[in-house]
């Protein structure tokens, strides 16, 4: 509609030193816009409580400032991945964020249970995650890369862990 003003936060990813700074800046701007009588709509891809740190920061700030928030649920990346791989998400599946794994010395995952690692978006991150995982998993442990789950271009590739950061189209 013509009466809506849209703002993008893409520029924050380009000028900020790290994701924490980006998410805090987004939360700051959303909270400032949310004080208007007409409120604000902040849209993210998928479910707002799956892999969206900015939403968590907004929720904390909204509680502190006694501002009302309404979450509109969407389909996260998890459900299409489960469908593509044909696995049951309640069968001891662990969820992890690649950016958290990348900074850990030892993975916080139980190697006897399946794990779904989200947000593995680039080769450098893949290299860091690989090194962390290799502290608990054997070098040849099979990992399945999933791309574009739920889209017509969805694809999987099963490779040994030690190849995680080699010539993969990670996105």
């Amino acid at each position: 509609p013509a009466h809506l003003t849209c703002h993008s936060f893409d520029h924050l990813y380009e000028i900020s030193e790290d994701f924490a700074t980006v998410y805090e800046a987004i939360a700051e701007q959303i909270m400032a816009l949310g004080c208007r009588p007409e409120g604000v709509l902040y849209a993210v891809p998928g479910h707002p409580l799956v892999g969206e740190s900015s939403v968590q920061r907004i929720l904390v700030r909204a509680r502190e400032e006694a501002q009302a928030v309404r979450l509109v649920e969407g389909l996260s990346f998890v459900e299409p991945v489960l469908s593509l791989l044909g696995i049951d998400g309640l069968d001891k599946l662990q969820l992890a964020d690649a950016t958290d794994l990348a900074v850990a010395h030892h993975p916080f995952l139980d190697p006897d249970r399946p794990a779904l690692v989200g947000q593995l978006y680039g080769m450098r991150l893949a290299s860091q995650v690989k090194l962390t995982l290799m502290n608990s998993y054997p070098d040849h442990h099979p990992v399945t890369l999933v791309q574009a789950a739920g889209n017509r271009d969805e694809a999987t590739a099963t490779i040994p862990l030690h190849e995680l950061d080699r010539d993969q189209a990670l996105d």
Side-chain angles (χ1 to χ4, degrees), residues 2-3 12 17 23-24 30 32 36 41 45 58 66 70-71 73 75 78 88 91 99 114 121 135-136 161:
H3 66 282
L12 294 175
E17 292 182 23
Y23 302 145
E24 194 56 44
I30 293 298
R36 302 173 321 157
L41 170 69
I58 291 165
R70 179 174 157 242
L71 291 176
E73 298 170 347
L75 191 65
V78 176
D88 180 350
D91 192 17
T99 59
Y121 55 78
N135 285 326
S136 285
L161 175 58

Side-chain angles (χ1 to χ4, degrees), residues 62-157:
R63 275 191 295 274
E64 292 171 353
E65 298 175 21
Q67 285 194 18
V69 173
R70 179 174 157 242
L71 291 176
V72 178
E73 298 170 347
L75 191 65
S76 77
F77 74 95
V78 176
E79 293 85 357
V81 169
L82 296 176
S83 295
L84 180 59
L85 298 177
I87 58 177
D88 180 350
L90 290 180
D91 192 17
K92 303 177 185 168
L93 180 67
Q94 304 169 94
L95 293 176
D97 186 313
T99 59
D100 292 335
L101 279 173
V103 297
H105 174 69
H106 194 78
F108 44 83
L109 300 169
D110 178 347
D112 293 325
R113 295 174 46 205
L116 175 58
V117 178
Q119 305 200 68
L120 187 66
Y121 55 78
M123 298 304 282
R124 181 177 177 178
L125 181 61
S127 181
Q128 294 168 321
V129 168
K130 175 186 84 170
L131 293 173
T132 299
L133 291 175
M134 287 172 70
N135 285 326
S136 285
Y137 297 85
D139 294 0
H140 285 84
H141 186 80
V143 296
T144 301
L145 297 175
V146 175
Q147 287 186 292
N151 296 310
R152 69 172 178 249
D153 297 329
E154 68 184 8
T156 64

Side-chain angles (χ1 to χ4, degrees), residues 41-68:
L41 170 69
Y42 177 53
V44 297
H47 194 288
L49 296 179
V50 177
E52 294 296 337
S53 296
S54 60
V55 173
Q56 292 295 336
R57 290 170 193 248
I58 291 165
L59 291 174
V60 167
R61 300 261 320 258
R63 275 191 295 274
E64 292 171 353
E65 298 175 21
Q67 285 194 18

